[in-house]
Amino acid sequence: MKKTIVAMMVAFTTATLFAGGAKESSSAARSVSDGFVYDGTGRITDKEGQHISELAQNSNYTTVDLRKAEIVQRVQQEANVTVDWTLIDPTNYKDAISPMLAAGNDLPDIVLLPNLDENQQYIQSGMFEPLDTHFDEMPNYARWLDNNPVVKASLTASDGHIYYVPVINVTNNYQPVLMYNMKWLEKAGKTVPTNLDEFVDLLRYYKSHDMNGNGKQDEIPMSMMAEFLPYTFGPAFGLNFTSEQGSGFFAEDSGKVVYAQATKEYKDYLTFLNSLYKEGLLEVEYTTLTRDQIIERFANDKTGITFDYGWQSSMTYSKQLPYYDGTAATGVVLQRPLDGPIHKGFYVGRNPVGSVYGVTASSGRKDLAIRFLDCATKDSNQDMYIWGIEGKSYTVDAQGKRHFTEQARDNTWLQSLGINPAQVFPAHQSVASTNELVAPWHAEQDQALEKYIKSPWPFIYSTEDEASIVSMYMVDIQTYVDEMAVSFVNGTTPLPDYDSYVTALNKLNLPEVLKVRQAQYDRYQKTMRK
């Protein structure tokens, strides 16, 4: 049934776009008057009644239609254009638009891509316009790229051109970190652990004491989803995992690219997890634990430690505790990483590039679409995406600091305003506005942890040959690695068999993938130096 609905959506959307494109393409040459110059500060055309079309996602909230959201409408009004929106439910977006992009016909002027085009599938097909050849019409975006060389390097395709405008993630704040139930820590007479030995000592204490005072031995010392284990303990062994493109690959200080799951340090990491498992400090069913279950455990005061996105600290977990009074002393508080026997601990940040927008090469209103994307990136609009509208969603105090209004703290209302409209515009996430939403102690502690954040493997485009090699080998490699990690941790496979595991990885063509990742990293570094 879902496939049928998606097919109907694709057919309807394609027909709609075809009709819109045919009707308005003849007006492209008359989109501005002679002598009009777009300088990045105001409207993108002096002609009235101009239209562009965009294919993107609607809100994640079913009660919100972004086409009607005030923030979205204000951007259009300022640009002096009307956007003919085709907005698709986020859950169906990839399935709905991938066939359209594969056909390549009758596309709108602007498209939110279903992925980051890592393998340059759409770039190499000539579907999207190289935007760097139009930077005279994109003063805001060109300036922003010059001020953000890491993103610029990531977005530079193998042919040297830049095709997309990105949504930007927060990279060093509210990232996955260790969090402790501070009431339990105080009751145990312990301080926040700084290394693995102190951490294990704390787990043992929680396991053998009645921390919640209910007279039962029902405490679960540590509640952690399996996906977070590498980021919790891997850095203590010098391993920089990443959950995005290039999972497990990282560059040593020398510039050599290695695969974390095939190093001798990874064996030490697995040995440590196996010791936790054997002691019952890592629960038997750790591979199936969910966030909802962890939330329930905090609500029942049954667990003392977790690892999750920093956002969850005061916004989710602390609120579950029966004794939380709004202070850090009674909450689930994010804390520093753990040092290992040799290596200093760190946390892995996030890649800045979230999703991307492109201007279709076949657009009859290409210049107008290019200027509209640039207008959408300018500082005043980014500011509005973050805070909304002064007097409605925020106020400014005598010191110039912004505060969300009581109405804005109603998330349903705030979403209807169109806050953070990354589904339709290249919006940038904000630390400042997040700080305003969380508890004061939470924002302060998050900032204190910034010094521990390390960058993940960067987003890098693959050439056709590189993509072929990675797609050919990495599925089998990743499947084998995931299976063996569980087997080593629970003791099904003895750790002395680790060398045989590495040999098997090499037989699965890991060396070929490493050559690809090294070439990509070298290319990325070369672009960074330009």
Side-chain angles (χ1 to χ4, degrees), residues 103-231:
N105 298 320
D106 306 315
L107 293 171
D109 304 309
I110 297 172
V111 175
L112 170 64
L113 272 70
N115 53 46
L116 298 182
D117 198 14
E118 298 93 335
N119 299 333
Q120 302 185 107
Q121 171 187 356
Y122 304 124
I123 289 174
Q124 292 175 356
S125 70
M127 189 174 299
F128 291 97
E129 186 72 10
L131 298 179
D132 56 306
T133 63
H134 301 274
F135 274 178
D136 58 328
E137 294 286 327
M138 303 188 79
N140 295 298
Y141 184 45
R143 182 171 56 252
W144 186 87
L145 282 176
D146 286 341
N147 292 330
N148 293 272
V150 171
V151 178
K152 187 174 184 178
S154 284
L155 291 174
T156 301
S158 58
D159 64 4
H161 289 296
I162 294 174
Y163 290 84
Y164 303 124
V165 181
V167 170
I168 296 297
N169 298 323
V170 167
T171 56
N172 295 335
N173 297 85
Y174 300 102
Q175 299 305 303
V177 294
L178 274 164
M179 303 179 203
Y180 295 83
N181 180 333
M182 299 305 288
K183 202 73 173 176
W184 279 28
L185 203 62
E186 179 189 31
K187 186 175 181 180
K190 305 279 188 180
T191 58
V192 174
T194 63
N195 56 53
L196 293 178
D197 288 341
E198 292 174 0
F199 185 81
V200 173
D201 179 64
L202 182 62
L203 293 181
R204 289 168 177 158
Y205 187 93
Y206 286 167
K207 183 175 172 60
S208 59
H209 290 76
D210 182 14
M211 300 307 301
N212 55 26
N214 66 357
K216 301 177 183 178
Q217 198 63 52
D218 58 356
E219 285 76 11
I220 302 168
M222 175 178 70
S223 298
M224 198 174 296
M225 290 181 285
E227 65 193 82
F228 286 130
L229 287 174
Y231 313 110

Side-chain angles (χ1 to χ4, degrees), residues 44-156:
I44 67 173
T45 174
D46 61 343
K47 290 275 190 178
E48 300 302 320
Q50 295 299 301
H51 289 245
I52 57 173
S53 57
E54 180 174 332
L55 172 61
Q57 295 179 4
N58 212 335
S59 172
N60 290 307
Y61 296 80
T62 56
T63 57
V64 176
D65 185 351
L66 285 175
R67 285 168 290 204
K68 300 176 182 178
E70 185 172 351
I71 289 173
V72 175
Q73 290 183 345
R74 284 193 176 207
V75 174
Q76 297 175 75
Q77 291 165 3
E78 181 186 38
N80 193 32
V81 295
T82 297
V83 179
D84 299 324
W85 298 103
T86 301
L87 300 185
I88 297 174
D89 187 296
T91 58
N92 296 327
Y93 193 70
K94 184 175 181 179
D95 290 339
I97 79 162
S98 293
M100 296 169 57
L101 293 177
N105 298 320
D106 306 315
L107 293 171
D109 304 309
I110 297 172
V111 175
L112 170 64
L113 272 70
N115 53 46
L116 298 182
D117 198 14
E118 298 93 335
N119 299 333
Q120 302 185 107
Q121 171 187 356
Y122 304 124
I123 289 174
Q124 292 175 356
S125 70
M127 189 174 299
F128 291 97
E129 186 72 10
L131 298 179
D132 56 306
T133 63
H134 301 274
F135 274 178
D136 58 328
E137 294 286 327
M138 303 188 79
N140 295 298
Y141 184 45
R143 182 171 56 252
W144 186 87
L145 282 176
D146 286 341
N147 292 330
N148 293 272
V150 171
V151 178
K152 187 174 184 178
S154 284
L155 291 174
T156 301

Side-chain angles (χ1 to χ4, degrees), residues 477 505-517:
I477 289 173
L505 281 178
N506 290 332
K507 289 181 179 179
L508 290 172
N509 296 290
L510 176 61
E512 293 301 309
V513 179
L514 276 168
K515 289 179 184 177
V516 167
R517 295 303 188 205

